[in-house]
C-alpha cells in the first residue's frame, strides 16, 4: 500500500535529520545516565534508600509501588507537555517540505493518489511521535522496574495517550500547511492549539470566571471543539500513577480527539485535491 | 487532428488554465484553448519564451494542475488515473532531492511509489546508465548540478515508462553529459517510448525531437514536423568557388542569398528531387561554376521561434 510507503519514506527522512538523531541520542544518554546514577535499595517490597549521583535522597520508607507513583506521574507530565511541544516544533517542517516546489510535482506525477500522500505523511509523523514517546517512557520504566523489582506498563500507556493528543494537533498543523506552505505557520498553529488545548481542558474551571452572557458563551463555544490537552495530560498522569481512571470518560475524550484529528485530515485532503502545484 | 486516439500518446483539446480566479472571474491566463495531439513513439519538443505556458501545459498533462477548461488524455486515459501515471516518467525542471539520502535510497523510494517489484536491480541499472554507478552510495548533498540532473533522469527512466516527460533534462549538464543523455533518449525512443521534451536549449531540442510545438502567450502558435517548421525539403543552398559566373547562374535559376556577407554570395535554388537538383548542378558546372558546399536551405529553431513569437498572440497584444 502506497500510504505505508509514504509513511516509511517520512521515517527515513526523519532518520536522516539531525534533530531526530539528536533526540534519539539525547533520550538514550539521559536514560543511560539516569540508570547509572540511580541506586535504589528495596527491602521486603519497601523503598529503603535511594541515591542519585551518590547523594542520598531523604525519603520516608514506603512501599515501592506507592513511591513509584510520584515518579511515574512526573514522567507522564513531562512526556505529555514536553513531548508534545518538541513534537510540534520538530515535525512542523514535514508537510511544508512535502509541498516544496520540485518535490510535490514529482510526487504527484507518480502513481500515488493525493490522499495517499497526505495520509502517509500523517501516519508517518504519528509513528515517529509514538516511537519517541514509547522509547523514552519504555526506557525509563525498564530502568526503574529493574532497580525496584516493581514492573508496570502504565507509563507506556501514558505515553500512548500523549501520542493520541499529538495526532489531533498534527492534523491541524497538516491542514494549515495546505493553506500556507510554511513550517513557521505550521508550528505556530501547533503551539496555539497546544496552549488553547490547555485552556480548553480547564474550561469548566475558567468559564465561571467570565460574566454570564455572550463572552462566556463564546468562550464555551470556542473551547468546546478544541482538543483537551491538559485533561489528557492529567489522565495520562493518573494512569501512570495507578490512580483509577473513568474508562467511559477516557473513551469519550479519545473519541473526541480522533474526530478532531480526522476532521482536520479530511479538510487537508479536500484542500490538497483542489490545489494546483 | 488526423490521428485515432489509440495511436496518440497524449491529446489536449481546447485546454485552458487560468490561475488565481476568484468566484470564476479574473486571474492570470496561462493556457488558452490549446489543441495538441502527439502520436506514440514521437519525440516532441515544446518550446517557447519564459511565461509562455510550457510548464503549466506539462503539469496539466500530469494532473498536477487542474485545467480550467478543456480535456487532456494521456496514453489513452486520464492523468488523474494512477495506472496511467505509472506509465509516465517525469523529470521536473527543478527536482528537489533529499540531501542526506543516497541515490540508491532515493531511486528505491521512487520505485516503491511506482509500484515496481524487484526494484533493486532496476535501480542499479538506471544508475549505471546515467553514469552514477560509482556514486550510488554517496550522499546526494555532495552532488554537482549535473549529477543531480542525471539522478532525476534515472528516476524518470525507472520502470521503462511509455511516455517520458522531461522538463529541461540537460540543464546544468556538461557537453559530454548532454551527448550521453541524447544517446539515452535515443535508446528510449528505439524501444518505443514517446518523448515530450521542454527545453530552452533549442539546439538540443533540434537534435532530439522530430516534432515541435511552439507556445506563445498560452496558445500553440506553431506545431508540426521539425523539417516542415524549419525549412523546405525542396530548397537548397549552394556555395561556389570565387569567380563563378554570376549571370549564368542567375539565368539557370540560382538566387543569390541576401544578407550573407560571403564572397562569392551563397545561392539558393529549388529542386523537387535529386535528379532535378543534379541536373541543375550539372548545368552550373557546364557554365564554369565549381561547387564547394551544398546543404538544405533550413532555418534553425531560434529563427522559427522568433518568427512564431512575432506572429503569435503576444505580438498582437
Amino acid at each position: 500500500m502506497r500510504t505505508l510507503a509514504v509513511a516509511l519514506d517520512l521515517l527515513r527522512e526523519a532518520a536522516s535529520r539531525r534533530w531526530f538523531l539528536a533526540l534519539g541520542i539525547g533520550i538514550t544518554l539521559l536514560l543511560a545516565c539516569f540508570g547509572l546514577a540511580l541506586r535504589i535499595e528495596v527491602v521486603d517490597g519497601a523503598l529503603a534508600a535511594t541515591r542519585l549521583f551518590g547523594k542520598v535522597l531523604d525519603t520516608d520508607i514506603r512501599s515501592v509501588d506507592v513511591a513509584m507513583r510520584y515518579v511515574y506521574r512526573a514522567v507522564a507530565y513531562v512526556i505529555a507537555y514536553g513531548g508534545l511541544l518538541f513534537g510540534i516544533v520538530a515535525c512542523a517542517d514535514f508537510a511544508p517540505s512535502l509541498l516544496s516546489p520540485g518535490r510535490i510535482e514529482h510526487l504527484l506525477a507518480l502513481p500515488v493518489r493525493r490522499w495517499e500522500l497526505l495520509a502517509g505523511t500523517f501516519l508517518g509523523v504519528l509513528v515517529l511521535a509514538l516511537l519517541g514517546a514509547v522509547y523514552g517512557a519504555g526506557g525509563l520504566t525498564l530502568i526503574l522496574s529493574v532497580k525496584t523489582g516493581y514492573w508496570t506498563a502504565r507509563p507506556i500507556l501514558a505515553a500512548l495517550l500523549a501520542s493520541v493528543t499529538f495526532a489531533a494537533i498534527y492534523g491541524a498543523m497538516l491542514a494549515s500547511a495546505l493553506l500556507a506552505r510554511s513550517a513557521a505557520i505550521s508550528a505556530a498553529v501547533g503551539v496555539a492549539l497546544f496552549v488553547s488545548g490547555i485552556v480548553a481542558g480547564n474550561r469548566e474551571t475558567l468559564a465561571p470566571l467570565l460574566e454570564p452572557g455572550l463572552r462566556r458563551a463564546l468562550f464555551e463555544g470556542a473551547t468546546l471543539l478544541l482538543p483537551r490537552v491538559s485533561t489528557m495530560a492529567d489522565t495520562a498522569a493518573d494512569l501512570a500513577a495507578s490512580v483509577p481512571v473513568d474508562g467511559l470518560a477516557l473513551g469519550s475524550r479519545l473519541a473526541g480527539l480522533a474526530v478532531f484529528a480526522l476532521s482536520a485530515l479530511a479538510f487537508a485532503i479536500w484542500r490538497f485535491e483542489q490545489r494546483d502545484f | 487532428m488526423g490521428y485515432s486516439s489509440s495511436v496518440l500518446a497524449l491529446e489536449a483539446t481546447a485546454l485552458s488554465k487560468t490561475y488565481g480566479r476568484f468566484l470564476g472571474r479574473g486571474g492570470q491566463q496561462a493556457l488558452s484553448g490549446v489543441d495538441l495531439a502527439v502520436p506514440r513513439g514521437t519525440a516532441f519538443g515544446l518550446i517557447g519564451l519564459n511565461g509562455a505556458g510550457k510548464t503549466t501545459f506539462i503539469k496539466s498533462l500530469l494532473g498536477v494542475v487542474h485545467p480550467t477548461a478543456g480535456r487532456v488524455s494521456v496514453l489513452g486515459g486520464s492523468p488523474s488515473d494512477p495506472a496511467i501515471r505509472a506509465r509516465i516518467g517525469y523529470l521536473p525542471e527543478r527536482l528537489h532531492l533529499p540531501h542526506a539520502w543516497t541515490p540508491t535510497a532515493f531511486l528505491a523510494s521512487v520505485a516503491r511509489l511506482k509500484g515496481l517489484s524487484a526494484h533493486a536491480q532496476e535501480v542499479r541499472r538506471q544508475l549505471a546508465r546515467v553514469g552514477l554507478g560509482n556514486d550510488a552510495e554517496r550522499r546526494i548533498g555532495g552532488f554537482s548540478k549535473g549529477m543531480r540532473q542525471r539522478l532525476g533522469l534515472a528516476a524518470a527512466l525507472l520502470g521503462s515508462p511509455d511516455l517520458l516527460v522531461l522538463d529541461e533534462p540537460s540543464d546544468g549538464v556538461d557537453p559530454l553529459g548532454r551527448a550521453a543523455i541524447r544517446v539515452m533518449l535515443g535508446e528510449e525512443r528505439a524501444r518505443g517510448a514517446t518523448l515530450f521534451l521542454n527545453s530552452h536549449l533549442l539546439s538540443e531540442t533540434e537534435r532530439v525531437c522530430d516534432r515541435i510545438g511552439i507556445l506563445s502567450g498560452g496558445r500553440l502558435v506553431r506545431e508540426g514536423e521539425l523539417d516542415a517548421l524549419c525549412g523546405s525539403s525542396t530548397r537548397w543552398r549552394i556555395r561556389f568557388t570565387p569567380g563563378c559566373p554570376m549571370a549564368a547562374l542567375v539565368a539557370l535559376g540560382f538566387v543569390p542569398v541576401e544578407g550573407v556577407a560571403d564572397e562569392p554570395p551563397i545561392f539558393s535554388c529549388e529542386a523537387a528531387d535529386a535528379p532535378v537538383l543534379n541536373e541543375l548542378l550539372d548545368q552550373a558546372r557546364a557554365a564554369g561554376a565549381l561547387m564547394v558546399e551544398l546543404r538544405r536551405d533550413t532555418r534553425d529553431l531560434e529563427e522559427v521561434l522568433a518568427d512564431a513569437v512575432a506572429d503569435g498572440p503576444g505580438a498582437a497584444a
Side-chain angles (χ1 to χ4, degrees), chain B residues 28 38 46 56 59 81 94 101 109 156 182-183 210 222 265 269 272 279 316:
Chain B
Q28 177 75 31
V38 177
L46 186 67
T56 298
K59 288 179 175 180
D81 180 357
R94 278 182 285 273
W101 288 26
S109 161
R182 275 201 304 276
V183 170
D210 50 19
R222 296 275 196 288
C269 72
E279 196 180 320

Side-chain angles (χ1 to χ4, degrees), chain A residues 8-23:
Chain A
L8 285 174
D9 276 348
L10 186 135
L11 293 178
R12 285 188 195 94
E13 190 183 335
S16 68
R17 287 188 181 191
R18 288 182 186 141
W19 270 74
F20 289 94
L21 285 177
L23 173 69

